[in-house]
Amino acid sequence: MTSPGSESFGDAAGEMANETEVEAPVEGASAPAGQPDADATPDDHAEEISGVDNWLEEGGPLEPQDVAETEQVAASAEVQLAERTADLQRLQAEYANYRKRVDRDRQVVAENATFRVLAPIIEVLDTIDRAREHGEVEGGFKAVADQLEGVVANLGLTRFGTPGDAFDPNLHEALSHLGTDADVTVPTCKHIAKAGYKIGDRVVRAAQVLVVDPADA
């Protein structure tokens, strides 16, 4: 027969044995992280080292040959960029010159058309001038004459040539010389037989003038 105290001691010892029982390792389980695998072989370590070497080859520093090839590609890209920039600048300059040439040609065409229209009217303007000199531009005829002169002026026809102008062979046609004049220092238009007309800088008709020369000529 056992005593009550011995039964209690026996139960406590059994519970402690159950708590300290170590579980058997499961077959195929890997070692805890940070601890070496007892079952690992030298071949497994060789595979890990080979994987590290492959990583260094793929993502590691570039070899000198690779650096040279990269610099060569960058230099080629810079050369191509400079060539394309020069081509663009040349095209822009050619287009600007083309626009200027087109505008100039258009202006010449417009001036030629205006010249063809206004050249015959110059004779009518001469008739009006002669009538005005004789005091015959009055009444309704004066209104028509003023209107015609305003129309041709708006079309770009300008009149030039007045007594006292210095003689310019590019603008004046000398009909005759009236001798010398002490009041002038250069050949001068003394009398305007017919006025001259221009369209812009283009002379439609030179002024027909009588010229006097300086006295000391």
Side-chain angles (χ1 to χ4, degrees):
M1 182 177 72
T2 61
S3 63
S6 61
E7 292 179 356
S8 300
F9 179 80
D11 294 338
E15 291 178 359
M16 291 177 63
N18 291 334
E19 291 177 356
T20 58
E21 183 179 358
V22 179
E23 296 182 355
V26 179
E27 183 179 356
S30 59
Q35 297 182 6
D37 189 352
D39 297 332
T41 64
D43 293 337
D44 295 335
H45 292 294
E47 291 179 358
E48 293 178 358
I49 296 173
S50 176
V52 173
D53 292 339
N54 292 335
W55 177 83
L56 290 175
E57 291 179 358
E58 295 178 357
L62 294 176
E63 297 294 334
Q65 181 179 1
D66 298 333
V67 174
E69 292 178 354
T70 302
E71 293 177 350
Q72 183 177 4
V73 171
S76 177
E78 291 179 356
V79 171
Q80 293 180 1
L81 177 60
E83 292 176 350
R84 299 299 180 270
T85 302
D87 292 340
L88 178 59
Q89 292 174 347
R90 182 173 61 256
L91 290 175
Q92 289 177 338
E94 291 177 354
Y95 178 71
N97 293 333
Y98 167 76
R99 288 292 303 272
K100 292 178 180 178
R101 184 169 61 253
V102 169
D103 293 340
R104 183 172 60 252
D105 293 343
R106 184 182 294 114
Q107 183 178 2
V108 170
V109 170
E111 289 180 355
N112 289 337
T114 304
F115 173 81
R116 287 193 297 269
V117 171
L118 297 181
I121 301 178
I122 292 178
E123 298 297 332
V124 179
L125 297 176
D126 291 339
T127 302
I128 295 174
D129 289 340
R130 288 192 295 269
R132 186 177 284 111
E133 290 176 358
H134 293 83
E136 297 176 356
V137 180
E138 299 176 354
F141 181 60
K142 183 179 184 303
V144 173
D146 293 342
Q147 185 176 5
L148 178 61
E149 291 174 343
V151 169
V152 297
N154 291 333
L155 292 176
L157 186 68
T158 58
R159 175 175 175 166
F160 67 89
T162 57
D165 291 342
F167 178 78
D168 184 349
N170 296 319
L171 301 176
H172 306 115
E173 177 185 355
L175 298 180
S176 66
H177 285 73
L178 300 179
T180 60
D181 190 333
D183 295 332
V184 300
T185 57
V186 294
T188 304
C189 300
K190 185 68 173 181
H191 177 73
I192 308 298
K194 288 185 179 180
Y197 290 93
K198 293 191 300 184
I199 298 176
D201 295 332
R202 180 178 179 181
V203 177
V204 179
R205 188 187 71 183
Q208 298 178 1
V209 299
L210 304 179
V211 182
V212 293
D213 296 321
D216 56 351

